[in-house]
Amino acid sequence: MVENQILALSIRDACAALGCGRTSLYSLISAGKIEARSLGSRTIIPAESLHRFVASLPPAPIRVRSASTG
């Protein structure tokens, strides 16, 4: 096992990692797209679940801007 590897994130940290808000994260959890676990009274998100979710997203279209001649 790799030392210092993050195994799970708090809701706050998972939101920061994805760049989304709490409502969006909880919607993804409810939809079964991201896993959540209970650790006592805390909800944690396995890091691998976030990796799988991001990998499942479609590629973003790349828009090339033309150079402005200003």
Side-chain angles (χ1 to χ4, degrees), residues 5-69:
Q5 180 180 1
I6 296 174
L7 298 178
L9 293 89
S10 66
I11 294 295
R12 178 184 293 180
D13 290 341
C15 288
L18 288 177
C20 70
R22 292 174 66 87
T23 301
S24 295
L25 181 61
Y26 278 112
S27 293
L28 291 168
I29 293 168
S30 293
K33 295 182 179 186
I34 292 178
E35 297 174 36
R37 300 281 185 254
S38 293
L39 180 63
S41 63
R42 296 185 65 202
T43 300
I44 58 172
I45 309 298
E48 184 57 35
S49 179
L50 292 181
H51 289 282
R52 281 193 307 269
F53 171 70
V54 171
S56 75
L57 296 173
I62 298 174
R63 297 180 187 160
V64 179
R65 292 180 140 183
S66 61
S68 178
T69 56

